[in-house]
Amino acid sequence: MEVYPKEHLASEKVGRLLAVARGEERADLVLKNARVTDLAGGRLWEADLAIAEGRIAGIGRYSGYREEDLRGAVVCPAFIDGHVHVESSMVSLPDYARAVVPRGTLGVVTDLHEIANVLGMEGIRYMLEVSRGLPLELHVMAPSCVPATPMETSGAVLGVEELEKLRQEGSVIGLGEVMNYPGVVAGEPEVLAKIRTYRGLPVDGHAPGLSGEELNAYVAAGILSDHECVTADEAEEKLARGMYVYVREGSTARNLEALLPTVLSGSPDRFLLVSDDVNPEDLSTRGHLDFLVRRAVELGIEPLRALRMVTVNPARRFGLPDTGELVPGYRADLVVLEDLKGMRVLQVYRAGEKVAQEGENLWVAPRVVRQAPASVHIAWDRIPGIALRAEGRKVRVIGVVPDQIVTESLVEDARVVEGWAVQDPARDLLKICVFERHRGTGNVGIGFVRGFGLREGAMASTVAHDSHNLVVVGASDEEMLFAARVVERMGGGQVVVRGHDILAELPLQVAGLMSTLPLEKVREGVKRLKEAARALGCDLNDPMMALAFMALPVIPSLKITDRGLFDVGSFRHVPVFLSDPGSRADDLAR
Amino acid sequence: MEVYPKEHLASEKVGRLLAVARGEERADLVLKNARVTDLAGGRLWEADLAIAEGRIAGIGRYSGYREEDLRGAVVCPAFIDGHVHVESSMVSLPDYARAVVPRGTLGVVTDLHEIANVLGMEGIRYMLEVSRGLPLELHVMAPSCVPATPMETSGAVLGVEELEKLRQEGSVIGLGEVMNYPGVVAGEPEVLAKIRTYRGLPVDGHAPGLSGEELNAYVAAGILSDHECVTADEAEEKLARGMYVYVREGSTARNLEALLPTVLSGSPDRFLLVSDDVNPEDLSTRGHLDFLVRRAVELGIEPLRALRMVTVNPARRFGLPDTGELVPGYRADLVVLEDLKGMRVLQVYRAGEKVAQEGENLWVAPRVVRQAPASVHIAWDRIPGIALRAEGRKVRVIGVVPDQIVTESLVEDARVVEGWAVQDPARDLLKICVFERHRGTGNVGIGFVRGFGLREGAMASTVAHDSHNLVVVGASDEEMLFAARVVERMGGGQVVVRGHDILAELPLQVAGLMSTLPLEKVREGVKRLKEAARALGCDLNDPMMALAFMALPVIPSLKITDRGLFDVGSFRHVPVFLSDPGSRADDLAR
């Protein structure tokens, strides 16, 4: 028996449900004196809400074996996050659930893009398995872009065949954000075939800044949502083209305020409020969708309209049955709010069982039997080292832009010592390496970076979008190699070292992305890493986050993958050294 | 090859569609200088609409092999009627299409309840077959209530097994209005099993006046729509319980004005505007959904909101793919309106082909090879006659209520001649008979009726809700039998006779419900029938309509089926004669 039923009610139980609805039998539980949200009618009804067989039996006047007097508190449907990468929380799924369930979230639509890039189908199945028995329902979108680009080595490839298989297994509800929007617009057969495989199911978009004819083409391919709008005009155009607009308000990208005019004027059924990526700090201190809804209301969105964006709208958009509204026969997944202003979550019910009260979880996660598969496989014997023989006087340097995931493409004089191009911390010229960690290829990309500001020591991370190889930045090769070894030994994670001292570390044994520690411990770990980096001279707001995006070759300008420096503008790998002016070699490489 | 493609675009054609969308190839057709409706954003965009491969390629600035300058006319999605019994039009499907397509309707959701009561699965398959190649798309809901009641003999029985089969064949999109609402509320296993068979697909409701706990039970059974609301309060409650509210504005039931407050205040995605039943007169003179939308706007509903109720809302409610909105990649099913005020339909496009202009059809229906199966089977040899031996002095009499489908239950002195209870036209006491016409059982129900007012002659009809047996009313047995014979000879239809003269007749060879004549001819036929009845003394507004509802045993008070008089209040058959006061026989029969 499933602890939290996903299926339709067994026929023998429907009879009792109807008898309770008719008022002829007592309910299992009645929430008395509630103000019941009516999201379609746009009002509150003062009524009791009766629950039987884990379902909503009726709204009206009822009595039950158990009764809970809500004293005028508001009952609304449990929250569903329509677009979130749960891996960004850096905690395992049970701990993620512990964090979000008391906030009212009982469903997340997640495309597991991160873990799939590391562990492929195995990663998706692992997450589904771990989700069993949790009060948080995992609605998985098949990751459409694994690997994100062919310019790097990922842990897995999900082609049309694998995506077809996932659909047939019934383990996914749609196709996750199709980030290869240039490919879609251009009509590349591979990506169109993936979309075709998911016809009839939701296919999510990712089309930053796409407009006009290109947007028409993207939509014509069958993609009817987007969560990348950053201006009201952009949202207005996408809405007009038939797209659901997922308003993103995460830890990094926050678009709610900018999109407000469109949200207020557009049809209330077409907007979702999603978190996309939330880091442990925000998850712990701000909360989850409760925070987003509160913020929406503060910005002037009518409370029931705001609630729609995290309840009925995602439920309908993704075809989630029997959920998202307070409807007799639907699963009794409920949130009790103090009022519609503060949106403070008092109680949370899953299938009629109270799972949280005043921020405290009332459920116990099933013991997780299955461990995540090992995910760090580095073939040291195939790696000669990370020293760089000087092949010119000028080097390309990745220029970190604080608080942005874009970088600049700089050119600097190399510091050459005995024929080797080496770090020059005095000029903030550090070395950055990406070790391929999935397949033991021995690939390592080596380059220079400015902006981390480490005067000494090194930082390493297996969180490195999107292929999540092992990325290391440091003031010396020795410290960088040490940091890499430490992370390897942890089975994935993040570390800051100086000499041979580990200043701070956060093991992320689940695919090198998520910890097995509780959220609070992870949050502390993240904080220690930050402080350690700061002590070494790094004044970035989030050094590890910055590091994690150095390897993302779809975001301008200069990035690095396990195959070397990558110039996003020309969309090709480039050598570290610029040849002398007029040299043919460099021209060719361009 | 399908003339009007239902399927997704073939992959080789997607490439061209995207090239057109990108503006790199010319479109097949461009509607230039349009005002394009944006139903989600609630505004019009001045733009061109490009069409390629039968699909919308893009909205913006485009050029095409063909171009049509719309000079600022409004383009909106083609209309879809979310709830209609096409049989009520009394014309065959091609002629129905000829009537509604120039009005902008290219899709109808219909549960074929009427023809299914006559011909069962065969009738549904026949209609689907006849619909092929028409620009009007037939979305069939499986009739849930065939027969409507066990108190009469219908032409077919659709049990759980048959309904399951229809679902598996893929010929239906959901379960049609579940009229047996007392059964649903009470939790009768048979009707719950039917609903269960259609879980995951739309299940339509029919719950007149249902409220409170009973409504909770009805919804909890899994029924999330209703088209029977007659007051705003009723609509408001049903909306709050999660139901889609289909606002009905047909020939008989007209609820739009009454429901206006709820339509205006509720969420704009939850309302449909449907015709339910439209007679040939209204269809011909008023139109179809164009008339309803115009009326909605006159009543104060914002035009784009009104248009949603016949486009995107039905498309989403019923999960109809690639239709209902102006979205790149969707089928180019379009209506060009002069403006948003008059809602006059200038042009209609189906899959990018113009199918109507200024009220004229530009398409030719495929030759219908298949004839409807014969549907009138009366076993005269098993029918001794329709004379009634007087078994008492008082008779029960059905009292017609003008313009209503309810009747009164009257008691009158019988006119007895030579031991027989006979008609007494002077007192407007006519005889009414229902001949079982489907299976040759020889069943005939005989009773008396007041209200038709025929001084002489008889009227007969094979349209007789819901089992559509042959119903006859008349001033003499001879004329009644003659009328019945005439209808039988026509293969079904309606007739008014006097003596052995046929005063007016309308053959309805398709299941005894629909003609094979064009709409205008049917309309004239209906008019002649009316005039003929009037000439015989009947002053009802619509005598044939009144006759057709005499046999509907679910509407109070006294009705008649092929098994005799039926008292709806006690829900049982009753004898024609009241026994003398104190007689035991009559008490027992009650």
Side-chain angles (χ1 to χ4, degrees):
Chain A
M1 187 196 138
E2 291 266 6
V3 184
Y4 303 102
K6 229 178 160 170
E7 299 307 314
H8 297 310
L9 204 55
S11 49
E12 63 272 17
K13 295 188 172 176
V14 175
R16 169 146 187 270
L17 180 66
L18 298 194
V20 172
R22 291 193 303 269
E24 290 170 10
E25 283 190 30
R26 275 203 277 177
D28 297 337
L29 170 67
V30 176
L31 304 181
K32 304 284 289 184
N33 303 317
R35 286 188 294 155
V36 178
T37 54
D38 169 5
L39 299 176
R43 52 167 287 192
L44 297 173
W45 299 66
E46 291 183 7
D48 307 332
L49 189 143
I51 295 165
E53 307 293 348
R55 304 267 164 165
I56 298 169
I59 295 161
R61 290 291 158 227
Y62 285 96
S63 59
Y65 292 106
R66 286 179 298 143
E67 299 191 347
E68 176 124 9
D69 189 348
L70 294 191
R71 297 192 185 90
V74 174
V75 179
C76 76
F79 304 154
I80 301 162
D81 193 334
H83 184 81
V84 57
H85 302 279
V86 290
E87 301 99 319
S88 305
S89 68
M90 302 176 81
V91 289
S92 68
L93 208 53
D95 283 297
Y96 182 80
R98 277 183 201 104
V100 302
V101 165
R103 303 293 194 160
T105 304
L106 294 185
V108 290
V109 180
T110 180
D111 84 352
L112 299 179
H113 172 76
E114 314 301 344
I115 196 170
N117 260 291
V118 177
L119 296 172
M121 307 278 276
E122 185 72 6
I124 294 169
R125 292 189 189 120
Y126 165 79
M127 291 294 273
L128 280 166
E129 203 165 310
V130 174
S131 79
R132 273 199 215 141
L134 297 178
L136 179 76
E137 199 168 8
L138 205 66
H139 307 287
V140 178
M141 300 287 276
S144 65
C145 300
V146 176
T149 71
M151 276 70 66
E152 52 187 329
T153 308
S154 64
V157 175
L158 297 189
V160 173
E161 199 179 316
E162 287 80 13
L163 292 174
E164 172 86 55
K165 199 167 177 194
L166 282 173
R167 180 175 183 161
Q168 280 171 356
E169 284 176 5
S171 43
V172 295
I173 63 163
L175 187 64
E177 50 175 319
V178 184
M179 289 181 281
N180 181 9
Y181 58 91
V184 174
V185 170
E188 281 176 15
E190 164 87 7
V191 65
L192 292 187
K194 288 179 176 178
I195 295 168
R196 176 169 295 268
T197 303
Y198 278 76
R199 285 306 291 252
L201 292 183
V203 176
D204 271 347
H206 164 116
L210 219 56
S211 171
E213 295 167 343
E214 291 193 324
L215 180 62
N216 282 331
Y218 190 73
V219 172
I223 301 173
L224 292 179
S225 74
D226 181 74
H227 64 279
E228 295 285 341
C229 293
V230 295
T231 69
D233 282 351
E234 185 181 358
E236 195 179 34
E237 186 183 356
K238 285 175 175 172
L239 189 68
R241 287 304 155 271
M243 283 181 148
Y244 280 83
V245 173
Y246 304 170
V247 180
R248 174 174 53 182
E249 187 78 2
S251 284
T252 312
R254 294 182 192 162
N255 312 126
L256 179 55
E257 195 163 359
L259 305 189
L260 206 58
T262 311
V263 173
L264 290 173
S265 68
S267 183
D269 58 316
R270 293 303 181 90
F271 298 90
L272 276 63
L273 193 50
V274 305
S275 71
D276 201 1
D277 292 295
V278 178
N279 64 37
E281 173 74 17
D282 288 346
L283 194 60
S284 172
T285 57
R286 287 183 180 161
H288 187 220
L289 297 174
D290 58 328
F291 169 74
L292 268 57
V293 171
R294 197 175 303 126
R295 177 145 170 73
V297 171
E298 281 166 8
L299 287 171
I301 299 177
E302 197 273 319
L304 295 183
R305 196 177 177 112
L307 284 173
R308 287 189 67 153
M309 295 168 77
V310 297
T311 55
V312 58
N313 293 1
R316 291 299 155 276
R317 160 59 182 158
F318 294 103
L320 309 180
D322 296 1
T323 189
E325 277 187 283
L326 302 183
V327 171
Y330 276 23
R331 204 171 48 202
D333 292 354
L334 314 169
V335 172
V336 179
L337 299 166
E338 192 172 42
D339 53 45
L340 286 182
K341 197 153 170 282
M343 295 282 178
R344 195 164 76 86
V345 175
L346 302 180
Q347 304 179 357
V348 184
Y349 292 86
R350 168 73 178 187
E353 295 297 323
K354 198 189 285 183
V355 289
Q357 170 125 13
E358 300 275 353
E360 293 297 317
N361 283 296
L362 303 179
W363 53 280
V364 177
R367 211 176 138 263
V368 177
V369 186
R370 169 124 182 235
Q371 295 298 310
S375 73
V376 183
H377 310 280
I378 301 179
W380 292 110
D381 52 347
R382 301 171 78 170
I383 300 174
I386 58 171
L388 268 184
R389 185 165 292 281
E391 291 172 4
R393 284 170 299 179
K394 298 273 186 190
V395 286
R396 288 185 173 83
V397 175
I398 301 171
V400 176
V401 181
D403 300 327
Q404 301 265 351
I405 63 174
V406 298
T407 62
E408 290 177 308
S409 182
L410 310 174
V411 173
E412 295 290 335
D413 291 326
R415 180 186 173 207
V416 180
V417 175
E418 295 174 1
W420 302 91
V422 298
Q423 293 92 338
D424 189 357
R427 287 194 294 143
D428 190 15
L429 201 64
L430 304 182
K431 210 182 258 181
I432 183 165
C433 292
V434 175
F435 296 90
E436 191 281 312
R437 65 131 166 153
H438 304 296
R439 310 177 185 196
T441 56
N443 286 356
V444 53
I446 308 172
F448 288 97
V449 65
R450 164 166 294 166
F452 279 95
L454 299 179
R455 288 181 305 266
E456 54 182 336
M459 298 164 44
S461 172
T462 47
V463 181
H465 298 282
D466 279 338
S467 284
H468 300 297
N469 283 305
L470 172 53
V471 61
V472 190
V473 66
S476 73
D477 288 2
E478 294 67 27
E479 287 166 309
M480 289 174 73
L481 287 168
F482 175 64
R485 290 282 195 174
V486 171
V487 166
E488 182 195 30
R489 219 158 38 222
M490 293 193 300
Q494 300 182 325
V495 71
V496 177
V497 305
R498 180 175 50 195
H500 279 81
D501 293 334
I502 299 170
L503 301 185
E505 64 184 331
L506 178 62
L508 301 170
Q509 295 99 330
V510 180
L513 302 172
M514 289 166 277
S515 174
T516 53
L517 298 168
L519 178 63
E520 276 312 307
K521 294 280 176 202
V522 174
R523 184 186 160 206
E524 287 163 19
V526 168
K527 197 166 158 234
R528 276 197 305 271
L529 288 165
K530 228 177 258 191
E531 288 164 355
R534 194 146 299 151
L536 296 179
C538 178
D539 61 0
L540 293 171
N541 272 325
D542 194 337
M544 280 297 172
M545 173 86 107
L547 186 58
F549 281 103
M550 289 299 113
L552 185 60
V554 291
I555 305 290
S557 297
L558 189 63
K559 293 291 174 95
I560 185 165
T561 81
D562 65 304
R563 300 189 206 156
L565 277 183
F566 189 78
D567 181 68
V568 183
S570 62
F571 220 67
R572 58 193 298 179
H573 285 284
V574 290
V576 173
F577 295 92
L578 273 84
S579 55
D580 295 329
S583 149
R584 260 205 99 216
D586 188 49
D587 284 350
L588 280 176
R590 274 191 168 265
Chain B
M1 188 196 139
E2 291 266 6
V3 184
Y4 303 101
K6 229 179 159 169
E7 299 307 313
H8 298 309
L9 204 55
S11 48
E12 62 273 16
K13 294 188 173 175
V14 174
R16 169 148 185 268
L17 181 67
L18 298 194
V20 172
R22 292 193 302 269
E24 290 169 9
E25 284 190 29
R26 274 203 278 177
D28 297 337
L29 170 66
V30 176
L31 304 180
K32 303 284 289 184
N33 303 316
R35 286 189 294 154
V36 179
T37 53
D38 169 5
L39 300 176
R43 52 167 286 191
L44 297 172
W45 298 66
E46 292 184 8
D48 307 332
L49 188 144
I51 295 166
E53 307 292 349
R55 304 267 163 166
I56 298 170
I59 294 161
R61 289 292 159 226
Y62 285 96
S63 60
Y65 292 106
R66 287 180 297 141
E67 299 191 347
E68 176 125 10
D69 188 348
L70 294 191
R71 298 192 184 90
V74 174
V75 179
C76 76
F79 304 153
I80 301 163
D81 194 334
H83 185 81
V84 56
H85 302 279
V86 290
E87 301 98 320
S88 304
S89 68
M90 301 176 80
V91 290
S92 67
L93 208 55
D95 284 298
Y96 182 80
R98 277 185 201 101
V100 302
V101 166
R103 303 294 194 161
T105 304
L106 294 185
V108 289
V109 180
T110 180
D111 84 352
L112 298 178
H113 171 75
E114 313 300 345
I115 196 170
N117 260 292
V118 177
L119 296 172
M121 307 278 276
E122 185 72 3
I124 294 169
R125 292 188 190 121
Y126 165 80
M127 291 294 272
L128 280 166
E129 204 166 309
V130 174
S131 79
R132 273 198 216 143
L134 297 178
L136 179 76
E137 198 169 7
L138 205 67
H139 307 286
V140 177
M141 300 286 277
S144 65
C145 301
V146 176
T149 71
M151 277 70 66
E152 53 188 327
T153 308
S154 64
V157 175
L158 298 189
V160 173
E161 199 178 315
E162 287 80 13
L163 292 175
E164 172 86 53
K165 198 167 176 194
L166 282 173
R167 179 175 184 162
Q168 280 171 355
E169 285 175 6
S171 44
V172 296
I173 63 162
L175 187 66
E177 50 175 319
V178 185
M179 289 180 281
N180 181 11
Y181 58 90
V184 174
V185 171
E188 281 176 14
E190 165 87 6
V191 65
L192 292 187
K194 287 179 175 179
I195 294 168
R196 174 169 297 267
T197 303
Y198 278 76
R199 285 307 291 253
L201 292 181
V203 176
D204 271 348
H206 164 117
L210 219 57
S211 171
E213 294 167 342
E214 291 192 324
L215 181 61
N216 282 331
Y218 190 72
V219 172
I223 302 172
L224 292 180
S225 74
D226 181 73
H227 64 280
E228 296 286 340
C229 293
V230 296
T231 69
D233 281 351
E234 185 181 356
E236 194 178 34
E237 186 184 357
K238 285 175 175 171
L239 189 66
R241 287 304 156 271
M243 283 181 148
Y244 280 83
V245 173
Y246 303 170
V247 180
R248 174 173 53 182
E249 187 78 2
S251 284
T252 312
R254 294 181 193 162
N255 311 126
L256 179 55
E257 196 163 357
L259 306 189
L260 207 56
T262 311
V263 173
L264 290 174
S265 67
S267 183
D269 59 316
R270 293 303 181 91
F271 298 90
L272 276 62
L273 193 50
V274 304
S275 71
D276 202 0
D277 291 295
V278 178
N279 63 36
E281 173 75 16
D282 288 345
L283 194 58
S284 172
T285 57
R286 286 182 181 162
H288 188 220
L289 297 175
D290 57 329
F291 170 74
L292 269 57
V293 171
R294 197 174 304 126
R295 178 145 170 72
V297 171
E298 282 166 9
L299 287 171
I301 299 177
E302 196 275 318
L304 295 183
R305 195 178 178 112
L307 285 173
R308 287 190 66 152
M309 295 168 75
V310 297
T311 55
V312 58
N313 292 1
R316 292 298 157 275
R317 160 60 182 158
F318 294 104
L320 309 179
D322 297 359
T323 190
E325 277 187 283
L326 302 183
V327 171
Y330 276 22
R331 205 171 47 203
D333 292 355
L334 314 169
V335 172
V336 179
L337 299 167
E338 193 172 42
D339 54 44
L340 286 182
K341 196 155 171 279
M343 296 281 178
R344 195 165 76 86
V345 175
L346 302 179
Q347 305 179 358
V348 184
Y349 292 85
R350 167 73 178 188
E353 295 298 324
K354 198 188 283 183
V355 290
Q357 171 125 12
E358 299 277 352
E360 293 298 317
N361 284 296
L362 304 179
W363 54 278
V364 178
R367 212 176 137 263
V368 176
V369 187
R370 169 122 182 235
Q371 296 298 312
S375 72
V376 184
H377 310 281
I378 301 180
W380 291 110
D381 53 347
R382 301 171 78 169
I383 300 174
I386 57 171
L388 268 183
R389 187 165 293 281
E391 291 173 2
R393 285 171 299 179
K394 298 272 187 192
V395 286
R396 289 185 171 82
V397 175
I398 300 171
V400 176
V401 182
D403 300 326
Q404 301 265 353
I405 63 174
V406 297
T407 62
E408 291 176 310
S409 182
L410 311 173
V411 173
E412 295 290 333
D413 290 327
R415 179 186 173 208
V416 179
V417 175
E418 295 175 2
W420 302 92
V422 299
Q423 292 91 338
D424 190 356
R427 287 195 292 144
D428 189 14
L429 202 62
L430 304 182
K431 208 181 260 181
I432 185 166
C433 292
V434 175
F435 295 91
E436 191 281 313
R437 64 131 166 154
H438 304 296
R439 311 177 185 195
T441 56
N443 286 355
V444 53
I446 308 172
F448 288 98
V449 65
R450 164 166 292 165
F452 281 95
L454 299 179
R455 289 181 305 267
E456 53 182 337
M459 298 164 45
S461 173
T462 47
V463 181
H465 298 281
D466 279 337
S467 285
H468 300 297
N469 283 305
L470 172 54
V471 61
V472 191
V473 66
S476 74
D477 289 2
E478 294 69 27
E479 289 167 305
M480 289 174 73
L481 287 167
F482 176 64
R485 291 282 195 172
V486 170
V487 165
E488 181 195 30
R489 219 159 38 222
M490 294 193 298
Q494 300 183 325
V495 72
V496 178
V497 305
R498 180 176 52 197
H500 280 82
D501 293 333
I502 299 170
L503 300 186
E505 64 184 332
L506 178 62
L508 301 170
Q509 295 100 328
V510 180
L513 302 172
M514 288 166 278
S515 175
T516 54
L517 297 169
L519 178 63
E520 276 311 306
K521 296 279 176 202
V522 174
R523 183 187 160 205
E524 286 163 19
V526 167
K527 199 168 156 232
R528 276 197 305 272
L529 287 165
K530 227 177 258 191
E531 289 164 355
R534 194 146 301 151
L536 295 179
C538 178
D539 61 0
L540 292 172
N541 273 324
D542 193 338
M544 280 298 172
M545 172 85 109
L547 187 58
F549 282 102
M550 290 299 114
L552 184 60
V554 291
I555 304 289
S557 296
L558 189 62
K559 294 291 174 96
I560 184 165
T561 80
D562 66 304
R563 300 189 205 156
L565 276 183
F566 189 78
D567 180 69
V568 183
S570 63
F571 222 67
R572 57 192 298 180
H573 286 282
V574 290
V576 174
F577 295 93
L578 275 82
S579 54
D580 295 330
S583 147
R584 259 205 102 216
D586 187 51
D587 284 349
L588 281 176
R590 274 192 166 264

